[in-house]
């Protein structure tokens, strides 16, 4: 026996997913601007490790944009896994070679393995998780329902 979901509930769910996706796409744009801006105005450790955290935050936002109903902890775990995979890929030398030929590859893949980067990727994943949960609580105020912010 199947039950149908009332049309009004379906439309709220769709609008919740659309709102989540739109918010995530906005976060992608803001994070890209922040990361590129950081590279322009900062140097040293702030630019390096801030960029690492923003990199994972960007991956987090891309995951949420692609899968708006994803739980925050899963999006954070996925973003962290991707970031760590890219960092460990740098041990092979492939990203370094690609980075020599492309600015885009240098921005996405980096070139040199650096163990402290692993910690800063975790900081970015945690920031994404906290932001996602906070957004969900904001949207889940009385009278609102949303898939955003599921832990």
């Amino acid at each position: 026996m199947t039950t149908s979901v009332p049309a009004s509930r379906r439309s709220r769910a769709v609008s919740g997913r659309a709102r989540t996706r739109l918010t995530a796409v906005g976060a992608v744009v803001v994070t890209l601007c922040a990361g590129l801006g950081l590279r322009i105005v900062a140097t040293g450790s702030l630019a390096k490790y801030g960029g690492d955290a923003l990199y994972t935050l960007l991956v987090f936002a891309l995951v949420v944009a692609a899968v708006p109903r994803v739980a925050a902890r899963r999006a954070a775990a996925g973003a962290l896994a991707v970031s760590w995979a890219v960092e460990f890929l740098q041990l092979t030398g492939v990203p370094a070679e690609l980075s020599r030929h492309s600015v885009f590859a240098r921005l996405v893949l980096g070139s040199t393995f650096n163990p402290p980067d692993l910690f800063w990727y975790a900081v970015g994943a945690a920031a994404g998780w906290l932001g996602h949960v906070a957004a969900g609580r904001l949207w889940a105020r009385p009278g609102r329902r949303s898939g955003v912010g599921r832990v």
Side-chain angles (χ1 to χ4, degrees):
M1 178 184 245
T2 57
T3 60
S4 64
V5 176
S8 62
R9 192 167 175 198
R10 272 195 315 261
S11 66
R12 277 187 297 199
V14 170
S15 67
R17 283 192 299 268
R19 180 176 48 246
T20 300
R21 183 169 279 138
L22 185 59
T23 302
V25 169
V28 165
V29 172
V30 168
T31 305
L32 275 172
C33 291
L36 294 173
L38 187 63
R39 290 180 64 90
I40 292 169
V41 301
T43 59
S45 295
L46 176 63
K48 169 100 180 84
Y49 298 124
D52 290 344
L54 287 169
Y55 178 89
T56 303
L57 189 57
L58 174 64
V59 175
F60 180 94
L62 289 168
V63 168
V64 174
V67 186
R69 294 182 53 105
V70 68
R73 68 180 172 275
R74 292 190 117 172
L80 185 57
V82 167
S83 299
W84 282 359
V86 169
E87 189 68 25
F88 283 112
L89 180 66
Q90 292 170 357
L91 291 170
T92 68
V94 171
E97 182 60 31
L98 293 172
S99 293
R100 279 194 270 282
H101 304 289
S102 167
V103 173
F104 181 74
R106 188 174 324 119
L107 290 172
V108 174
L109 300 175
S111 61
T112 308
F113 179 79
N114 185 28
D117 291 353
L118 301 172
F119 170 77
W120 291 102
Y121 294 141
V123 169
W129 176 76
L130 289 170
H132 195 277
V133 170
R137 289 186 178 150
L138 177 68
W139 283 105
R141 289 193 177 158
R144 295 183 177 172
R145 290 190 54 98
S146 171
V148 174
R150 293 182 309 139
V151 179

